[in-house]
Amino acid sequence: MLQGVCVDPELAGEFPKTVYLFPNGPLNYYVSRFLNKNAHMGCFQADKFQALDGWPPEPNAADLPPLEQGKMYSAQFIWRPEKQFTFHKLKNRFFILPEANRKNATFYKDRDRKQLGGRFPLHWFTDFQLVEEELLEESFEMELVEEESANFEQMSLF
């Protein structure tokens, strides 16, 4: 349970100044006027509210699923130190490569690993989904075909 305020201008008039936020997965909150999850006014996207109680505790590193080194995963970024790494938005999905120590991961903003995001602990991510290598090869082949067919000459009408 957190206490927070609505930051969405369209919804702000429907809520009192402060509300109670009960997490419903990593992307949503049950929002209530009272300190009771069952008395909620609805389930809303987490990015429409800002928690006031401070920063949530760091996730437990022991709760990680088994991940293979050398395989690429898509994962959701769920935690960072409160005032650090603010250039990476929480709730964004990144493509990660777990390291041999199974504690850290190098993450990228794109599937082709051209936009390096950094290196964070694995337990700062959740909802790991294996990215199939075949899909990576197909997307690379499609890019080559598109580039070859993109050769054209510009006409001048004047």
Side-chain angles (χ1 to χ4, degrees), residues 4-6 12 15-19 52:
V5 294
C6 181
F15 299 103
K17 188 171 184 176
T18 60
V19 292
L52 298 175

Side-chain angles (χ1 to χ4, degrees), residues 18-139:
T18 60
V19 292
Y20 293 99
L21 306 171
F22 300 91
N24 180 20
L27 298 174
N28 300 303
Y29 287 126
Y30 285 116
V31 179
S32 177
R33 296 173 194 245
F34 311 104
L35 189 57
N36 182 350
K37 180 180 180 179
N38 296 324
H40 65 82
M41 300 183 308
C43 187
F44 298 90
Q45 293 175 341
D47 60 353
K48 299 193 182 293
F49 294 88
Q50 180 179 7
L52 298 175
D53 288 326
W55 207 247
E58 187 170 359
N60 188 356
D63 295 338
L64 287 173
L67 302 173
E68 296 181 42
Q69 180 190 5
K71 300 265 182 176
M72 181 182 283
Y73 295 86
S74 169
Q76 187 174 19
F77 184 48
I78 58 164
W79 196 87
R80 60 175 164 75
E82 185 173 6
K83 299 196 187 230
Q84 298 177 6
F85 312 115
T86 56
F87 44 88
H88 293 301
K89 303 270 186 216
L90 293 176
K91 313 291 186 218
N92 280 355
R93 288 196 76 79
F94 293 107
F95 295 95
I96 65 168
L97 291 171
E99 295 179 1
N101 64 8
R102 300 190 61 209
K103 293 181 181 179
N104 298 313
T106 304
F107 68 98
Y108 299 87
K109 296 177 182 180
D110 64 330
R111 176 180 263 188
D112 298 326
R113 295 180 270 181
K114 293 181 181 176
Q115 297 179 340
L116 178 65
R119 181 177 174 258
F120 286 157
L122 268 174
H123 64 277
W124 290 8
F125 295 92
T126 189
D127 190 23
F128 297 95
Q129 297 174 357
L130 182 64
V131 176
E132 299 294 329
E133 293 178 16
E134 296 168 358
L135 296 175
L136 290 174
E137 291 174 9
E138 284 179 19
S139 65

Side-chain angles (χ1 to χ4, degrees), residues 57 148 157:
E148 290 174 3
L157 298 175

